[in-house]
Amino acid sequence: MNSELDEEFIALFTKLPERVKHTARKNYRLWKEDPGHPGLEFKAVAGVDNVYSVCVGIGWRDLGVLRAEIIPSSGFGLARTRSMTSC
């Protein structure tokens, strides 16, 4: 599986705290090696077609849209989660 980043994602990513950017980069590398790694919690978002999320760290997830085996982080990007019990 491949991924792409759009300009909007990159612009928003630069505004994140350094610790979140560091964890996002580390988990992206892990996702590229093993999308099924249990620590990433890579999964489809319930009730929304072709949208997937991945854990970026405590309280943060990244969302992307699946298009022909490419998951771009476009229009979604990283988001804080409300629950601290899971990403």
Side-chain angles (χ1 to χ4, degrees):
M1 196 170 314
N2 295 311
S3 69
E4 300 175 339
L5 304 177
D6 70 7
E7 291 178 21
E8 181 182 10
F9 177 89
I10 294 167
L12 294 171
F13 186 83
T14 63
K15 297 177 184 179
L16 293 171
E18 285 301 319
R19 67 176 180 76
V20 176
K21 289 192 272 190
H22 173 77
T23 304
R25 288 181 185 113
K26 179 180 69 87
N27 284 0
Y28 177 74
R29 287 189 297 272
L30 179 58
W31 178 80
K32 290 292 281 181
E33 292 173 13
D34 180 10
H37 189 283
L40 297 175
E41 298 181 32
F42 181 61
K43 58 188 174 189
V45 174
V48 184
D49 290 340
N50 299 324
V51 176
Y52 289 78
S53 74
V54 65
C55 179
V56 174
I58 295 174
W60 292 87
R61 296 193 71 78
D62 185 21
L63 299 174
V65 179
L66 177 65
R67 288 192 311 239
E69 294 303 310
I70 296 175
I71 298 188
S73 288
S74 60
F76 294 104
L78 292 170
R80 270 192 156 311
T81 60
R82 294 187 182 263
S83 169
M84 296 303 278
T85 58
S86 65
C87 276

